[in-house]
Amino acid sequence: MPKRYNRKRRDPKAVQKEVDGLIQQIDQGIAALTSSEDWATWLKWQGAFTDYSAGNTMLIAMQCPHATRVAGVKAWNALGRKVIKGSKSIRILAPKTYKATEQDSSGNDVETYRCAGFRSIGVFDFSQTEGEELPARPYQIGIEGEEDNGLFDDLKAFSAGNECPVEIEDIEGAALGYYQPFLHRIAINAGMPRARMAHTLAHEVAHSLMHRSDGTADGRNPLHLTRGIKELEAESVAYIVCNAAGINPGDCSFGYIADWNGKKTRDELKESTARIKSTARDIIKALKPAK
């Protein structure tokens, strides 16, 4: 029979203490996002680690500020790379799930997974590994150029798939675009550079997903949000999406962040960061890879 190795069982109290410590780090990190510069830095991290939750992205940034790509040992091995001996893992949170049986709307039994808390797991940054080279990330282009890596067309198709048509028109005044909640329609100002149009559309698509007037209870469309917070959320999503597509949004305006943090509780701030993260991730996953 093959030899079996027994992994030493950790003290449950020590495990829970580590998890509580990581959750506390997340709270402290999010509460510290009180300036436009800090907020923009956080958004760049969201674009770099779209597969991780907002909390885990914060943990990665706090423990390894120079990180560019993280994964577990098995994932790195599958990519032909090995973790360098002696490297210290980056601790993040993973859900502890269990299988349960529930009934669907037709009364049929279906198996599902439920979360029973969290556990701490270790991941490693690319810099902590060695082996085969990985494909280079798409180069970044400026927001005032005519090249947009196909982002505008992809976003337009994505929005149409959500039954929110996008139209290009001459808009009077300073507005680059707008979203009409009751009509569920987006308009983009004509005559702008293509990359700027893509950034504007990403902003309005975020509004269409997060701030539709019917108040769909999807966890990211609360009706009590002020206009300032809605604009912050939409611009933040656009910032992440554009970075992921290889477009540098430049110095976007997040000037009202400090005022917002002064009025909102830490829990409300966490809710907003979670909405931003999940919305940006949904958009990025639905779009084609940057060309």
Side-chain angles (χ1 to χ4, degrees), residues 189-243:
N189 195 20
M192 296 190 294
R194 192 71 173 179
R196 175 67 71 179
M197 291 177 67
H199 172 264
T200 303
L201 181 53
H203 180 108
E204 302 306 335
V205 166
H207 274 311
S208 74
L209 294 174
M210 305 173 76
H211 310 133
R212 190 172 180 179
S213 59
D214 60 9
T216 305
D218 60 359
R220 61 184 182 208
N221 189 21
L223 297 178
H224 67 276
L225 298 181
T226 64
R227 180 179 179 182
I229 294 178
K230 289 180 180 180
E231 289 302 320
L232 173 67
E233 292 185 345
E235 186 62 19
S236 297
V237 170
Y239 195 96
I240 296 171
V241 170
C242 284
N243 268 290

Side-chain angles (χ1 to χ4, degrees), residues 5-204:
Y5 295 88
N6 294 320
R7 186 172 61 178
K8 184 177 179 181
R9 183 177 177 83
R10 297 180 62 194
D11 179 4
K13 290 184 178 180
V15 172
Q16 188 59 49
K17 184 178 180 180
E18 182 179 24
V19 170
D20 291 343
L22 292 175
I23 293 174
Q24 186 177 21
Q25 285 185 51
I26 294 172
D27 289 344
Q28 293 171 347
I30 292 178
L33 299 176
T34 57
S35 71
S36 297
E37 182 179 353
D38 291 340
W39 189 262
T41 299
W42 178 78
L43 293 176
K44 290 177 182 177
W45 278 88
Q46 306 314 300
F49 300 103
T50 55
D51 291 333
Y52 292 86
S53 68
N56 277 335
T57 303
M58 183 66 68
L59 289 173
I60 295 169
M62 295 172 74
Q63 296 174 66
C64 187
H66 64 273
T68 57
R69 181 172 180 176
V70 301
V73 172
K74 291 183 178 179
W76 282 125
N77 290 345
L79 292 171
R81 298 187 66 85
K82 303 289 184 183
V83 175
I84 299 171
K85 187 176 181 180
S87 298
K88 183 179 179 181
S89 66
I90 303 166
R91 308 307 296 182
I92 62 174
L93 296 172
K96 293 190 295 185
T97 59
Y98 66 94
K99 189 180 293 186
T101 301
E102 298 180 347
Q103 288 190 334
D104 60 18
S105 57
S106 301
N108 300 315
D109 289 340
V110 293
E111 288 188 342
T112 185
Y113 287 91
R114 294 197 172 197
C115 179
F118 294 90
R119 59 192 175 94
S120 169
I121 63 171
V123 294
F124 297 87
D125 179 52
F126 174 82
S127 63
Q128 298 174 295
T129 67
E130 56 188 5
E132 297 182 14
E133 291 298 319
L134 300 180
R137 291 184 180 274
Y139 65 92
Q140 275 207 336
I141 55 181
I143 198 170
E144 298 301 337
E146 291 303 326
E147 176 57 58
D148 70 342
N149 287 337
L151 181 59
F152 182 86
D153 289 337
D154 289 346
L155 284 170
K156 186 176 180 181
F158 171 80
S159 190
N162 287 323
E163 299 182 347
C164 181
V166 176
E167 298 177 10
I168 300 175
E169 59 185 50
D170 293 319
I171 300 176
E172 296 183 1
L176 304 181
Y178 58 85
Y179 166 63
Q180 293 178 299
F182 291 96
L183 296 177
H184 200 42
R185 169 187 175 271
I186 292 172
I188 302 297
N189 195 20
M192 296 190 294
R194 192 71 173 179
R196 175 67 71 179
M197 291 177 67
H199 172 264
T200 303
L201 181 53
H203 180 108
E204 302 306 335

Side-chain angles (χ1 to χ4, degrees), residues 270-283:
K270 286 176 64 177
E271 289 174 5
S272 194
T273 56
R275 285 195 297 270
I276 291 166
K277 176 70 177 185
S278 64
T279 304
R281 181 169 52 193
D282 288 350
I283 295 172

